[in-house]
């Protein structure tokens, strides 16, 4: 509607169509990644489930059912799913940063954080990661779904953009350092590396209840 009001019917159609296509591919990817991450709740002994197709399919369908059911009940209930997701973003970060801080003496850290390793690599093997990095800063477009709930939009949105952008950058920087402090880069699972690192780190600290 915003695109239509600003630029006309054609631009509104293109915006709506591309957003639908984006959602069609995004939600399955999100559900799959969430199921893979969830496998590490039981510690690294459950980590193999992150590669198990039956577990990933079943977990994805279950998560989809929960999300749809909560939103069918109504926004007063469904909104807490989004609120919980926002809060839960930071809890693993704090756990990961704390675990990584105990592993700063890892022998491979010197090799992981050389200047040449930290510079971007421009090749076809890394092209998939660039849109993922950009995607980390996306999501503001979803505010249109809650536009009726926003009070003093000029002040609220400006504050939300700055605060979320800074926090996102901190999350990614601290998370990367912590993951590479806990495990070598060749071991990192691209789908669930954060939870994989947490499982390995908790085992090293004797905090894994499943051991």
């Amino acid at each position: 509607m915003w695109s239509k009001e600003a630029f006309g019917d054609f631009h509104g159609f293109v915006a709506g169509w591309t957003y639908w296509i984006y959602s069609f591919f995004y939600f399955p990817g999100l559900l799959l990644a969430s199921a893979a991450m969830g496998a590490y709740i039981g510690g690294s002994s459950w980590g193999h489930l992150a590669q198990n197709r039956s577990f990933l399919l079943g977990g994805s369908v279950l998560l989809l059912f929960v999300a749809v059911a909560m939103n069918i009940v109504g926004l007063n209930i469904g909104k807490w799913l989004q609120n919980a997701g926002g809060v839960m973003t930071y809890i693993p970060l704090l756990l990961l940063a704390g675990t990584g801080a105990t592993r700063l003496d890892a022998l491979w850290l010197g090799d992981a954080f050389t200047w040449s390793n930290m510079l971007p690599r421009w090749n076809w093997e890394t092209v998939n990661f660039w849109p993922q990095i950009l995607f980390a800063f996306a999501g503001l477009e979803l505010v249109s779904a809650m536009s009726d709930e926003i009070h003093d939009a000029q002040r609220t949105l400006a504050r939300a953009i700055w605060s979320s952008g800074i926090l996102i950058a901190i999350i990614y920087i601290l998370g990367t350092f912590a993951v590479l402090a806990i495990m070598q880069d060749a071991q990192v699972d691209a789908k669930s590396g954060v939870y994989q690192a947490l499982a390995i780190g908790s085992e090293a600290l004797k905090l894994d209840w499943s051991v």
Side-chain angles (χ1 to χ4, degrees):
M1 288 301 298
W2 290 358
S3 298
K4 180 179 177 180
E5 291 292 331
F7 304 109
D9 290 345
F10 177 73
H11 289 277
F13 168 77
V14 171
W17 178 256
T18 53
Y19 193 72
W20 186 88
I21 293 295
Y22 148 81
S23 300
F24 184 81
F25 289 99
Y26 166 69
F27 283 108
L30 176 64
L31 293 169
L32 182 66
S34 300
M37 294 174 190
Y40 288 95
I41 292 176
S44 60
S45 61
W46 290 15
H48 67 279
L49 292 175
Q51 309 298 330
N52 186 297
R53 292 185 179 183
S54 298
F55 175 82
L56 294 176
L57 177 60
S60 297
V61 172
L62 176 62
L63 291 172
L64 178 62
F65 174 80
V66 171
V68 171
M70 290 189 69
N71 283 278
I72 287 177
V73 170
L75 186 60
N76 286 335
I77 300 297
K79 68 181 181 181
W80 293 109
L81 179 63
Q82 284 78 17
N83 293 340
V87 173
M88 291 298 291
T89 298
Y90 295 95
I91 293 177
L93 169 68
L94 295 175
L95 294 172
L96 182 65
T99 305
T102 66
R103 304 278 294 173
L104 293 178
D105 58 343
L107 297 178
W108 59 82
L109 270 180
D111 296 328
F113 293 110
T114 62
W115 183 248
S116 60
N117 283 345
M118 289 190 289
L119 287 175
R121 298 179 184 177
W122 304 93
N123 56 52
W124 289 110
E125 294 181 358
T126 61
V127 70
N128 181 52
F129 293 106
W130 293 103
Q132 293 184 40
I133 293 173
L134 294 175
F135 177 73
F137 292 90
L140 183 63
E141 74 281 356
L142 296 177
V143 74
S144 60
M146 304 291 292
S147 57
D148 288 343
E149 308 294 328
I150 299 175
H151 302 286
D152 191 5
Q154 185 173 3
R155 177 173 177 268
T156 301
L157 290 179
R159 186 169 56 184
I161 291 169
W162 278 104
S163 59
S164 62
I166 292 171
L167 287 172
I168 288 168
I170 291 174
I171 284 176
Y172 273 78
I173 293 171
L174 285 182
T176 299
F177 272 83
V179 167
L180 294 179
I182 295 170
M183 56 195 300
Q184 299 184 49
D185 58 344
Q187 298 176 276
V188 178
D189 185 340
K191 298 192 301 295
S192 50
V194 169
Y195 293 90
Q196 180 187 19
L198 281 171
I200 293 174
S202 62
E203 281 187 5
L205 296 175
K206 308 299 183 185
L207 298 176
D208 187 358
W209 63 269
S210 65
V211 176

